[in-house]
Amino acid sequence: MLPTPAPKFRYYDAVAYKRAQRGRSVAYTDFLRTGKLERREWNETEKRYLTYREVAEATGRRLEQAGTVTHERINGFHRSIRFPKLIFHRTLATMPHLGYCHVTVSNSRLPQHEDVQWSFYMANFYSEIGDGERFFAGISPKFKRMYFAVAIRPAEAEGRLEIDRKVGEDGVLFHTHDPKEAMKNVLLLGARNEELRKIIRAI
């Protein structure tokens, strides 16, 4: 059996560590002021390393909070545009501090496509959108977030969906790091008449 490779990243609780460091500073200041040194558990100042599962859970909570805020902003634009709230997330197995969140799903009429079902996502990283099994083609440090929508269709496996590669650019309807541009694109997908689309394009 091959040895299990060492994890690429190590994570620690930075908030707890900083609090402990502040506590240590306060103790030193008290000693200078009073001449008394209280007994403290100095090992509290050591970094507590987190498991990948703990990191993934914390990342998931932040992603879903951001997804909920994004959904509220989209639905608050115009009373005629309403999207269902369907929030769930996934984190990257080897880098659990990174992940993406599904925000909503809907249907739209697009040029050359009468009825397209699509899903809107946001992520706390930026990458190119690939094809085939490797959907995220290289994570880039250039931007810290990304928004994208993909056309979807029922998969051969019952109860599952897959990207409809016949729609858009290999299934991708839009892909951006700009939250304003993302909102405009989602709203355009949800607008039911040209008058409303003109208003959205002018934002």
Side-chain angles (χ1 to χ4, degrees):
M1 180 181 289
L2 294 173
T4 303
K8 186 176 180 181
F9 294 95
R10 292 185 74 193
Y11 302 92
Y12 69 91
D13 189 337
V15 174
Y17 180 67
K18 287 177 181 176
R19 285 176 181 164
Q21 290 296 318
R22 283 199 299 270
R24 187 172 189 170
S25 175
V26 168
Y28 181 67
T29 303
D30 288 346
F31 171 72
L32 293 176
R33 185 170 52 83
T34 66
K36 295 179 181 179
L37 183 63
E38 292 185 21
R39 286 182 173 271
R40 290 178 181 267
E41 295 292 333
W42 295 112
N43 62 358
E44 288 181 2
T45 64
E46 295 176 0
K47 295 177 181 177
R48 184 180 80 83
Y49 285 92
L50 306 173
T51 65
Y52 271 32
R53 182 173 181 177
E54 288 175 313
V55 174
E57 288 173 353
T59 301
R61 286 192 296 271
R62 288 192 292 270
L63 285 168
E64 293 197 4
Q65 287 169 359
T68 297
V69 171
T70 300
H71 178 265
E72 289 171 356
R73 287 177 179 167
I74 292 169
N75 270 6
F77 177 78
H78 194 277
R79 63 181 179 275
S80 70
I81 301 177
R82 287 292 181 270
F83 296 103
K85 183 178 179 181
L86 188 57
I87 306 287
F88 63 86
H89 76 275
R90 298 286 183 270
T91 55
L92 306 189
T94 58
M95 293 180 285
H97 64 291
L98 302 179
Y100 57 96
C101 179
H102 183 279
V103 179
T104 191
V105 63
S106 190
N107 291 70
S108 297
R109 179 181 295 177
L110 301 177
Q112 301 178 347
H113 299 281
E114 185 65 25
D115 186 31
V116 174
Q117 188 176 13
W118 52 270
S119 285
F120 170 52
Y121 295 84
M122 58 187 301
N124 67 353
F125 62 91
Y126 186 85
S127 78
E128 294 303 318
I129 301 295
D131 53 11
E133 296 297 318
R134 190 176 176 83
F135 188 72
F136 299 121
I139 294 172
S140 169
K142 188 176 180 182
F143 303 111
K144 294 183 178 179
R145 57 189 169 191
M146 122 175 116
Y147 307 85
F148 60 96
V150 292
I152 55 177
R153 66 183 181 189
E156 291 183 7
E158 188 176 350
R160 300 198 62 178
L161 297 171
E162 64 183 10
I163 297 173
D164 188 348
R165 302 286 183 180
K166 296 178 181 178
V167 180
E169 294 184 17
D170 204 28
V172 180
L173 301 181
F174 71 83
H175 169 227
T176 180
H177 66 90
D178 185 341
K180 183 178 178 180
E181 185 180 342
M183 183 170 180
K184 286 177 69 172
N185 277 292
V186 173
L187 292 172
L188 285 170
L189 287 170
R192 301 303 177 189
N193 59 68
E194 189 57 34
E195 184 179 350
L196 188 52
R197 290 190 193 98
K198 288 179 180 177
I199 296 172
I200 295 167
R201 291 190 188 102
I203 296 174

PDB file of all heavy atoms in Angstrom, residues 129-136 163 165 170:
ATOM      1  N   ILE A 129     -13.170  28.419 -16.236  1.00  0.00           N
ATOM      2  CA  ILE A 129     -14.171  27.363 -16.287  1.00  0.00           C
ATOM      3  C   ILE A 129     -13.752  26.375 -17.365  1.00  0.00           C
ATOM      4  O   ILE A 129     -13.636  26.724 -18.532  1.00  0.00           O
ATOM      5  CB  ILE A 129     -15.569  27.918 -16.594  1.00  0.00           C
ATOM      6  CG1 ILE A 129     -15.978  28.929 -15.523  1.00  0.00           C
ATOM      7  CG2 ILE A 129     -16.586  26.799 -16.708  1.00  0.00           C
ATOM      8  CD1 ILE A 129     -16.145  28.357 -14.140  1.00  0.00           C
ATOM      9  N   GLY A 130     -13.495  25.141 -16.931  1.00  0.00           N
ATOM     10  CA  GLY A 130     -13.039  24.127 -17.867  1.00  0.00           C
ATOM     11  C   GLY A 130     -14.189  23.310 -18.419  1.00  0.00           C
ATOM     12  O   GLY A 130     -15.357  23.665 -18.299  1.00  0.00           O
ATOM     13  N   ASP A 131     -13.855  22.197 -19.034  1.00  0.00           N
ATOM     14  CA  ASP A 131     -14.893  21.316 -19.558  1.00  0.00           C
ATOM     15  C   ASP A 131     -14.620  19.896 -19.056  1.00  0.00           C
ATOM     16  O   ASP A 131     -13.616  19.627 -18.413  1.00  0.00           O
ATOM     17  CB  ASP A 131     -14.937  21.355 -21.090  1.00  0.00           C
ATOM     18  CG  ASP A 131     -13.568  21.070 -21.700  1.00  0.00           C
ATOM     19  OD1 ASP A 131     -12.669  20.644 -20.960  1.00  0.00           O
ATOM     20  OD2 ASP A 131     -13.407  21.283 -22.915  1.00  0.00           O
ATOM     21  N   GLY A 132     -15.544  19.003 -19.359  1.00  0.00           N
ATOM     22  CA  GLY A 132     -15.387  17.618 -18.918  1.00  0.00           C
ATOM     23  C   GLY A 132     -15.425  17.503 -17.408  1.00  0.00           C
ATOM     24  O   GLY A 132     -16.141  18.219 -16.718  1.00  0.00           O
ATOM     25  N   GLU A 133     -14.628  16.583 -16.860  1.00  0.00           N
ATOM     26  CA  GLU A 133     -14.624  16.318 -15.425  1.00  0.00           C
ATOM     27  C   GLU A 133     -13.959  17.442 -14.631  1.00  0.00           C
ATOM     28  O   GLU A 133     -14.255  17.655 -13.475  1.00  0.00           O
ATOM     29  CB  GLU A 133     -13.904  14.993 -15.146  1.00  0.00           C
ATOM     30  CG  GLU A 133     -14.591  13.767 -15.741  1.00  0.00           C
ATOM     31  CD  GLU A 133     -15.977  13.555 -15.148  1.00  0.00           C
ATOM     32  OE1 GLU A 133     -16.132  13.720 -13.923  1.00  0.00           O
ATOM     33  OE2 GLU A 133     -16.907  13.239 -15.917  1.00  0.00           O
ATOM     34  N   ARG A 134     -13.020  18.140 -15.246  1.00  0.00           N
ATOM     35  CA  ARG A 134     -12.279  19.201 -14.544  1.00  0.00           C
ATOM     36  C   ARG A 134     -12.959  20.543 -14.801  1.00  0.00           C
ATOM     37  O   ARG A 134     -12.579  21.287 -15.707  1.00  0.00           O
ATOM     38  CB  ARG A 134     -10.824  19.208 -15.018  1.00  0.00           C
ATOM     39  CG  ARG A 134      -9.921  20.096 -14.181  1.00  0.00           C
ATOM     40  CD  ARG A 134      -8.481  19.969 -14.660  1.00  0.00           C
ATOM     41  NE  ARG A 134      -7.594  20.859 -13.964  1.00  0.00           N
ATOM     42  CZ  ARG A 134      -7.048  20.611 -12.784  1.00  0.00           C
ATOM     43  NH1 ARG A 134      -7.294  19.473 -12.176  1.00  0.00           N
ATOM     44  NH2 ARG A 134      -6.236  21.484 -12.211  1.00  0.00           N
ATOM     45  N   PHE A 135     -13.961  20.869 -14.003  1.00  0.00           N
ATOM     46  CA  PHE A 135     -14.754  22.073 -14.233  1.00  0.00           C
ATOM     47  C   PHE A 135     -13.970  23.333 -13.891  1.00  0.00           C
ATOM     48  O   PHE A 135     -14.002  24.307 -14.633  1.00  0.00           O
ATOM     49  CB  PHE A 135     -16.039  22.019 -13.417  1.00  0.00           C
ATOM     50  CG  PHE A 135     -16.993  23.133 -13.741  1.00  0.00           C
ATOM     51  CD1 PHE A 135     -17.679  23.153 -14.939  1.00  0.00           C
ATOM     52  CD2 PHE A 135     -17.176  24.173 -12.852  1.00  0.00           C
ATOM     53  CE1 PHE A 135     -18.549  24.191 -15.252  1.00  0.00           C
ATOM     54  CE2 PHE A 135     -18.037  25.218 -13.152  1.00  0.00           C
ATOM     55  CZ  PHE A 135     -18.729  25.224 -14.351  1.00  0.00           C
ATOM     56  N   PHE A 136     -13.266  23.334 -12.765  1.00  0.00           N
ATOM     57  CA  PHE A 136     -12.446  24.476 -12.382  1.00  0.00           C
ATOM     58  C   PHE A 136     -11.033  24.244 -12.910  1.00  0.00           C
ATOM     59  O   PHE A 136     -10.296  23.410 -12.402  1.00  0.00           O
ATOM     60  CB  PHE A 136     -12.427  24.650 -10.867  1.00  0.00           C
ATOM     61  CG  PHE A 136     -13.791  24.905 -10.284  1.00  0.00           C
ATOM     62  CD1 PHE A 136     -14.330  24.055  -9.339  1.00  0.00           C
ATOM     63  CD2 PHE A 136     -14.556  25.992 -10.699  1.00  0.00           C
ATOM     64  CE1 PHE A 136     -15.583  24.283  -8.806  1.00  0.00           C
ATOM     65  CE2 PHE A 136     -15.811  26.229 -10.180  1.00  0.00           C
ATOM     66  CZ  PHE A 136     -16.329  25.372  -9.225  1.00  0.00           C
ATOM     67  N   ILE A 163     -24.390  19.530 -16.456  1.00  0.00           N
ATOM     68  CA  ILE A 163     -24.271  20.728 -17.273  1.00  0.00           C
ATOM     69  C   ILE A 163     -24.693  20.415 -18.703  1.00  0.00           C
ATOM     70  O   ILE A 163     -24.275  19.404 -19.272  1.00  0.00           O
ATOM     71  CB  ILE A 163     -22.825  21.262 -17.247  1.00  0.00           C
ATOM     72  CG1 ILE A 163     -22.443  21.673 -15.818  1.00  0.00           C
ATOM     73  CG2 ILE A 163     -22.668  22.457 -18.186  1.00  0.00           C
ATOM     74  CD1 ILE A 163     -21.001  22.042 -15.650  1.00  0.00           C
ATOM     75  N   ARG A 165     -24.038  21.090 -22.094  1.00  0.00           N
ATOM     76  CA  ARG A 165     -22.938  21.667 -22.868  1.00  0.00           C
ATOM     77  C   ARG A 165     -23.382  22.237 -24.220  1.00  0.00           C
ATOM     78  O   ARG A 165     -22.603  22.914 -24.882  1.00  0.00           O
ATOM     79  CB  ARG A 165     -21.866  20.597 -23.104  1.00  0.00           C
ATOM     80  CG  ARG A 165     -21.300  19.979 -21.835  1.00  0.00           C
ATOM     81  CD  ARG A 165     -20.374  20.926 -21.123  1.00  0.00           C
ATOM     82  NE  ARG A 165     -19.767  20.320 -19.935  1.00  0.00           N
ATOM     83  CZ  ARG A 165     -18.915  20.945 -19.139  1.00  0.00           C
ATOM     84  NH1 ARG A 165     -18.578  22.197 -19.403  1.00  0.00           N
ATOM     85  NH2 ARG A 165     -18.404  20.344 -18.084  1.00  0.00           N
ATOM     86  N   ASP A 170     -20.146  26.089 -23.963  1.00  0.00           N
ATOM     87  CA  ASP A 170     -19.951  24.792 -23.322  1.00  0.00           C
ATOM     88  C   ASP A 170     -20.723  24.679 -22.011  1.00  0.00           C
ATOM     89  O   ASP A 170     -20.250  24.109 -21.034  1.00  0.00           O
ATOM     90  CB  ASP A 170     -18.456  24.546 -23.083  1.00  0.00           C
ATOM     91  CG  ASP A 170     -18.128  23.061 -22.983  1.00  0.00           C
ATOM     92  OD1 ASP A 170     -18.851  22.247 -23.590  1.00  0.00           O
ATOM     93  OD2 ASP A 170     -17.177  22.704 -22.273  1.00  0.00           O
TER      94      ASP A 170
END
